[in-house]
Structures are given as structure tokens and as C-alpha cells.
Amino acid sequence: MTVAMTGPDGLPPLRDVIARHGIAARKALGQNFLLDLNLTARIARAAGDLSGTDVLEVGPGPGGLTRALLAAGARRVVAVERDPRCLGALAEVAARWPGRLEVVEGDALAVDAAALLGRPAAVVANLPYNVGTELLVRWLRVDWPPWWSGLTLMFQREVAERVVAAPGSGAYGRLGVLAGWRTTARILFDVPPQAFAPPPKVTSSVVSLTPRPEPLAPAPLEALERVTAAAFGQRRKMLRQALKPLGVDPLALLEAAGIDPTRRAETLDVAAFCALARAYAARA
Ligand code: SAM
């Protein structure tokens, strides 16, 4: 008699799942799978107490993190996966936790997954590298306060550093201003390339973003994005020069915001960018 090997959740090890369903990793889909169920459990724990919470997962792949989220007690997981080869494996996960996993086949950039979630809703994902930043920016742009209670996301370390960057750091830019304006963001831990199959070239990091009830300072979103795009578009230049593409007098703008025109973008904190955005919105 052969005895099927099972993991702690009663499902087979991920390596077997991937082999049985023929899910050879595809680079074009950003497929680097986590096989270590201790690590996926750690990521699920990093999202806090998930009991009674709906979770959006983007890119469940063969379901390692999905299994951890369900085992951690998520009320329901809505998982958006683009690769139809993963659907068989995910159906097995759904059968293990009846009524608690909804798999949506499609491109996360095109699916309105938030509409499928109850509240509170958390987002937990090992994001595909090619769309990770775009998705994060979308989640940060929603009407505030947001529909999500927290984001726990795996990125390449370099992207994670941009998300949490403070003024004065080379990683500080548009992403750090937007994230710092609306959330408190921090890197929780790094994950080495060897933890993935196949291993990517770079280290990854798990980032936690908690929404501020109110953004750090008042500012119209669109104006904030325009001034940060201009300021960091020429980050080595003084602001009096870098802000010219905005089409309003940079000196008047900087004076209204109380900012020295010889400063450079990376020295401005989020509150200063908000002041600049308010001044710009009043003139544009
Ligand atoms: N969550 C799994 C894990 O941790 O092992 C897989 C993570 S892998 C880095 C990224 C996953 O996102 C892959 O399963 C890939 O097929 C999927 N994916 C890539 N682009 C996507 C998109 N635009 N929308 C939804 N899923 C996508």
C-alpha cells in the first residue's frame, strides 16, 4: 500500500503539487514559487490576526501562501491567478477548505477583486515582479480610507526599500512619498533567493503597509502625484528648476509652500510635498 505524503495541512507537499499539475515556472508570469510551508505560514502570520477577515491574494500559483492563509483562519480568500495551469492545484486547496477559497482566473490589473471581498479585507501576496509596483500604487490611490485593512506584500528588496524610504535616502522617490502619505510602511523580513523555485537573482522582502485613518497631511492626490513626478523626474536638480515642467512659476509655488527653492526633491519630507501639492492645486 502506498501512503500519500501530506503536509501539516493535510495537503501534499508543494513540490508534488507542482509536478502533478505540470506547473513548470514561467518567467514571463513572474513565477518564483515558495515551497517551504513554514515560510508561507510566517508570511500569513505577518498579516496579523486573519480570523474573520477576507483576504485578497494576487498570484496564488500552486497555492502555498493560499494554504497558509486558510490555515491561519482567514474567513475567505479571493485569489486572482492569471495562469490557468494553476487552477487544478487551487481546486484541491478549495476542496480542503470548503466554501472559503474563491479562485478568479484573470489578470489582477483587470479584475475588480475588491468588489468580491467582505469587510474587513486584507491583501496578502507574493506578487509577480512585473506587476507588483503597479498593483501597490493602485491600492494606494483608492478613495480614503481604503477598502483594505492592511497590505502584506512580497517584493524584490530594491522595491521594498523604495516603498519604505525616508527623505535623504537614494531610494526615496514617488513611491515612498505616496506610501508614506497614506500608510505606515515597514519591511518585516527578507527572504533569500534559495527560498523560491526557481530562485530569482535578488533578495526579496516582505513589506507591511497599514493605512493611516487620515493621510499624513492634506493634499489632493492628483496634485501630489504631479509635483512628486516633476520633482523626482529631475532629482539632482534644485526644485526651482525641476518643477518647471508643471507649467506654473516654480518660485511662486515654492514660496507659497514655504520651501527653499535651492533644495532638491530627496530632501523634502512627505509633509513638505503635501504643502507643495496644495500650493500647486491652488494655482493650476
Ligand atoms: N503565491 C505563489 C507563491 O508564493 O509561491 C506564487 C507567487 S509567484 C511570485 C507570482 C504568481 O502571480 C504566479 O502564480 C503568476 O502566474 C501570477 N501572476 C502573474 N501575473 C499575474 C497577473 N497579472 N494577475 C494575476 N496573477 C498573476
Side-chain angles (χ1 to χ4, degrees):
M1 191 179 86
T2 52
V3 180
M5 290 275 294
T6 56
D9 56 8
L11 287 169
L14 284 158
R15 219 174 268 287
D16 296 3
V17 172
I18 289 168
R20 197 158 36 85
H21 291 276
I23 316 174
R26 290 197 181 142
K27 206 173 175 185
L29 287 170
Q31 289 181 334
N32 301 97
F33 300 129
L34 289 171
L35 302 185
D36 179 351
L37 294 171
N38 292 316
L39 183 56
T40 55
R42 187 174 178 205
I43 298 170
R45 274 199 308 277
D49 181 7
L50 293 176
S51 51
T53 301
D54 278 12
V55 177
L56 170 62
E57 186 192 2
V58 172
L65 182 55
T66 321
R67 286 160 61 164
L69 294 167
L70 289 160
R75 179 171 56 196
R76 213 161 61 94
V77 175
V78 174
V80 184
E81 175 56 61
R82 192 174 189 171
D83 183 353
R85 296 178 309 154
C86 299
L87 299 181
L90 294 168
E92 290 173 6
V93 179
R96 163 70 180 80
W97 284 280
R100 289 174 53 200
L101 172 60
E102 181 166 344
V103 178
V104 180
E105 184 189 353
D107 178 352
L109 292 170
V111 170
D112 181 12
L116 303 172
L117 296 159
R119 303 290 182 269
V123 180
V124 187
N126 172 14
L127 289 173
Y129 288 150
N130 43 357
V131 293
T133 314
E134 168 74 22
L135 284 167
L136 171 61
V137 168
R138 286 188 186 197
W139 291 323
L140 291 172
R141 276 189 183 143
V142 297
D143 290 339
W144 217 256
W147 53 264
W148 44 269
S149 56
L151 308 174
T152 308
L153 307 172
M154 175 107 76
F155 289 108
Q156 293 159 272
R157 171 91 202 175
E158 172 268 330
V159 176
E161 281 169 356
R162 288 199 283 126
V163 175
V164 304
S169 112
Y172 185 55
R174 297 166 65 180
L175 193 54
V177 172
L178 184 59
W181 179 52
R182 288 192 142 173
T183 74
T184 48
R186 62 201 173 100
I187 294 178
L188 298 181
F189 54 88
D190 288 343
V191 181
Q194 315 83 267
F196 299 86
K201 289 200 174 64
V202 293
T203 295
S204 301
S205 304
V206 174
V207 180
S208 155
L209 297 102
T210 305
R212 297 179 188 276
E214 294 281 340
L216 185 133
L221 171 63
E222 201 186 320
L224 183 63
E225 293 197 309
R226 289 215 181 160
V227 297
T228 50
F232 287 107
Q234 302 185 75
R235 59 189 298 144
R236 312 247 167 268
K237 297 224 166 105
M238 293 179 191
L239 288 166
R240 67 179 181 213
Q241 177 68 26
L243 296 181
K244 278 187 180 162
L246 288 175
V248 294
D249 177 12
L251 288 175
L253 203 57
L254 288 157
E255 189 184 350
I259 298 167
D260 177 344
T262 64
R263 288 176 68 183
R264 291 176 173 78
E266 70 179 35
T267 71
L268 258 53
D269 63 13
V270 175
F273 274 111
C274 291
L276 202 53
R278 291 193 300 273
Y280 175 64
R283 275 165 182 70

